[in-house]
Amino acid sequence: LKEQPLRCKTCLITAGPTHEAIDPVRYIGNHSTGKMGMAIAMDLANRGAEVTLIIGPTSLTGEHDLIQRIDVTSAQEMYDAVHKHISGKDYAVFSAAVADYKPAIPAGQKIKKSSDTLTLELVKNPDILASVGVMENRPFLVGFALETENEIEHAFAKAKKKNTDLLILNSMNDEGAGFGTDTNKITMIDKNGNSEKFPVKSKQLVAKDIVDEIVKRTS
Ligand code: C5P
């Protein structure tokens, strides 16, 4: 019989990119694939936890009896789905690469090519992680940060600002880390400024390290 140490635990995970409509056929997006979030969802489910996976547009498949997958497109849809499902969860892991800005008013019809320049007005999306960080009775909260300079310092500031219990830093300066790859290299940072660096590993093994740390810090 396989061990199920996290049986009875409930988790919410966000993963993948978001797409922000410019018009009915175009969007603003990013290169996130959702692989890291999917790997965390699988690891938690394999240990017996019940997982709600809220995932942006991706071709990723991956099924598990204990994973309820909710597909969303935009940051606003992801925000709505998170707030519909967050209540009562034990852990929440925010690995989605949410678009910071969206077109202020998506065009109702396909924008025609005419003048030589085109200006789009963008407005800020809600910060989903920060909105959960201020909740009373919030779950144990894990966020991600992708930084390109003064990484530890910026990540620590982010951990405090968003009130995460654990922040996973991916550096853009590291080979084998980041979007689309099957490997990742992370540093874990907590609110007290403690940090721990990990070597390059497959996203499955990184997921295991993250879930081990969550379990260690909540038991
Ligand atoms: O501020 P920044 O985008 O670098 O923060 C990254 C972290 O915040 C990630 O955990 C990401 O999933 C989360 N986030 C979010 N909603 C946003 C922007 C980021 O949940 N609008």
Side-chain angles (χ1 to χ4, degrees):
L1 196 71
K2 220 163 91 187
E3 253 189 82
Q4 303 262 282
L6 296 185
R7 202 161 42 95
C8 302
K9 295 292 182 198
T10 56
C11 338
L12 180 145
I13 297 176
T14 70
T18 65
H19 287 180
E20 311 299 327
I22 296 170
D23 68 19
V25 296
R26 305 180 179 101
Y27 61 82
I28 295 174
N30 60 66
H31 293 299
S32 168
T33 56
K35 279 182 188 168
M36 193 62 247
M38 179 64 87
I40 296 168
M42 282 290 179
D43 192 275
L44 283 161
N46 285 333
R47 300 190 202 197
E50 220 173 88
V51 180
T52 303
L53 174 64
I54 300 171
I55 188 162
T58 170
S59 55
L60 261 196
T61 52
E63 282 187 12
H64 193 291
D65 283 351
L66 291 173
I67 299 179
Q68 180 199 8
R69 173 174 170 151
I70 299 169
D71 288 279
V72 296
T73 303
S74 65
Q76 187 62 52
E77 281 175 31
M78 189 174 274
Y79 177 95
D80 293 341
V82 164
H83 283 281
K84 189 170 164 193
H85 293 277
I86 193 79
S87 162
K89 294 287 183 285
D90 296 302
Y91 322 131
V93 180
F94 287 78
S95 65
V98 183
D100 290 326
Y101 291 90
K102 65 177 176 185
I105 305 167
Q109 305 296 329
K110 187 178 172 197
I111 299 171
K112 293 275 179 224
K113 186 165 36 184
S114 52
S115 56
D116 283 346
T117 62
L118 173 69
T119 304
L120 288 174
E121 192 190 355
L122 304 180
V123 293
K124 234 187 199 160
N125 268 323
D127 191 314
I128 308 169
L129 173 56
S131 73
V132 173
V134 296
M135 279 173 57
E136 256 178 67
N137 299 321
R138 62 173 180 70
F140 183 88
L141 199 55
V142 183
F144 275 72
L146 186 71
E147 302 289 341
T148 55
E149 51 170 357
N150 299 332
E151 294 140 339
I152 301 268
E153 196 185 319
H154 283 160
F156 180 48
K158 196 162 287 182
K160 283 211 289 195
K161 191 171 149 215
K162 303 202 186 202
N163 199 25
T164 56
D165 296 297
L166 197 62
L167 193 83
I168 312 298
L169 168 67
N170 300 279
S171 170
M172 281 299 272
N173 302 329
D174 285 325
E175 228 172 273
F179 287 158
T181 58
D182 289 320
T183 55
N184 205 357
K185 183 164 185 269
I186 61 162
T187 303
M188 292 189 194
I189 292 165
D190 71 13
K191 274 191 284 197
N192 304 323
N194 302 311
S195 67
E196 189 183 352
K197 272 190 179 183
F198 290 73
V200 176
K201 296 184 183 192
S202 70
K203 285 189 173 170
Q204 280 67 34
L205 287 179
V206 173
K208 182 179 175 302
D209 287 341
I210 292 169
V211 175
D212 282 346
E213 191 68 20
I214 295 171
V215 171
K216 196 172 97 189
R217 286 173 180 259
T218 52
S219 51

